[in-house]
Amino acid sequence: MLFLSFSSVSAKTLGELEKELQDKKNELSENKAKQNLTEQEMNTINNNLKTIQGNINQIQIDTTNLEKEILNFNEEIAKKQEEIKSIISYFQISSGESAYLEYVMGAEDFTDFIYRSAVTEQMTSYNNSLIDDYNATIKANEDKKAELAQKKEELKEQQSAMKAEYKKLDKQLSVYTSDEMVITD
């Protein structure tokens, strides 16, 4: 009795080997293209991070300048309020009544009365508008400061998101690099 043992021999043809080689070359070039694209994305993110950091620095400078302006306006307002208080206090102490009313009533004739009324009205209006203007300026500066703080927070969030994306792309690049080593082996 004859026992024949057949072992399966798998031999590849030259065409199959060439096809495998071409597939590996294609895979390698595709991998390199992905690496280049990932590196470009990483460079873009780096540039965006630099821009965001520059914007954050500028916002800090703007915030500092606005805080100085606000302090200056507060000092001016305090001076004006003291000036107005002293004027009103002087008139009230000297006459015991409203200084403006006494000034108007001290007119010698009707023309002088109209003139004094107009002057009193203008002085009152000027003092009130001056205070209102200063308060409006302070309000605008505080609003600007809040806006800058919000913008700074948004930029920090963008910066964090970009850093996370950069790390993700860095990991992806490592995978492509290790795949390239496997392909070339």
Side-chain angles (χ1 to χ4, degrees):
M1 285 209 198
L2 186 62
F3 286 100
L4 291 175
S5 165
F6 292 101
S7 61
S8 167
V9 176
S10 67
K12 294 183 180 180
T13 64
L14 183 59
E16 290 174 335
L17 289 174
E18 286 177 350
K19 184 180 182 312
E20 280 184 25
L21 179 61
Q22 187 60 41
D23 288 346
K24 291 289 184 182
K25 285 181 180 178
N26 290 342
E27 190 177 340
L28 181 62
S29 66
E30 186 178 309
N31 192 315
K32 285 195 180 279
K34 287 179 183 178
Q35 275 182 323
N36 289 336
L37 183 62
T38 302
E39 288 172 352
Q40 288 174 356
E41 288 174 353
M42 290 172 71
N43 289 336
T44 301
I45 287 175
N46 271 335
N47 291 336
N48 289 342
L49 285 172
K50 288 176 185 175
T51 301
I52 287 172
Q53 187 60 47
N55 290 343
I56 288 172
N57 293 340
Q58 184 60 45
I59 287 173
Q60 288 172 337
I61 291 168
D62 292 346
T63 301
T64 303
N65 291 339
L66 279 175
E67 287 171 351
K68 289 177 184 176
E69 284 180 36
I70 289 171
L71 289 175
N72 290 338
F73 280 123
N74 284 338
E75 289 174 7
E76 287 180 34
I77 287 173
K79 288 177 185 176
K80 267 305 173 196
Q81 286 175 341
E82 286 301 316
E83 184 180 330
I84 291 168
K85 282 181 187 178
S86 67
I87 291 171
I88 291 174
S89 175
Y90 169 75
F91 281 124
Q92 287 178 345
I93 290 173
S94 66
S95 66
E97 321 181 340
S98 173
Y100 294 131
L101 184 59
E102 189 171 320
Y103 174 73
V104 171
M105 293 306 184
E108 294 177 7
D109 59 23
F110 190 67
T111 305
D112 190 28
F113 176 78
I114 292 174
Y115 172 75
R116 287 181 180 216
S117 294
V119 168
T120 303
E121 184 179 326
Q122 286 177 355
M123 285 175 47
T124 305
S125 176
Y126 173 76
N127 287 339
N128 289 339
S129 69
L130 190 61
I131 291 171
D132 290 344
D133 288 345
Y134 280 121
N135 286 334
T137 304
I138 287 175
K139 174 77 170 115
N141 281 338
E142 288 174 352
D143 291 345
K144 186 70 171 177
K145 186 176 176 182
E147 178 186 332
L148 288 174
Q150 179 184 0
K151 196 171 190 177
K152 183 177 178 181
E153 190 61 36
E154 289 173 3
L155 288 172
K156 282 185 178 183
E157 288 173 7
Q158 285 179 357
Q159 186 180 32
S160 296
M162 293 225 176
K163 283 181 180 179
E165 181 69 18
Y166 184 83
K167 286 180 182 178
K168 177 182 161 190
L169 290 173
D170 191 38
K171 286 180 184 177
Q172 192 174 2
L173 182 63
S174 296
V175 169
Y176 292 148
T177 304
S178 65
D179 285 351
E180 181 180 338
M181 287 181 195
V182 169
I183 291 170
T184 55
D185 288 343

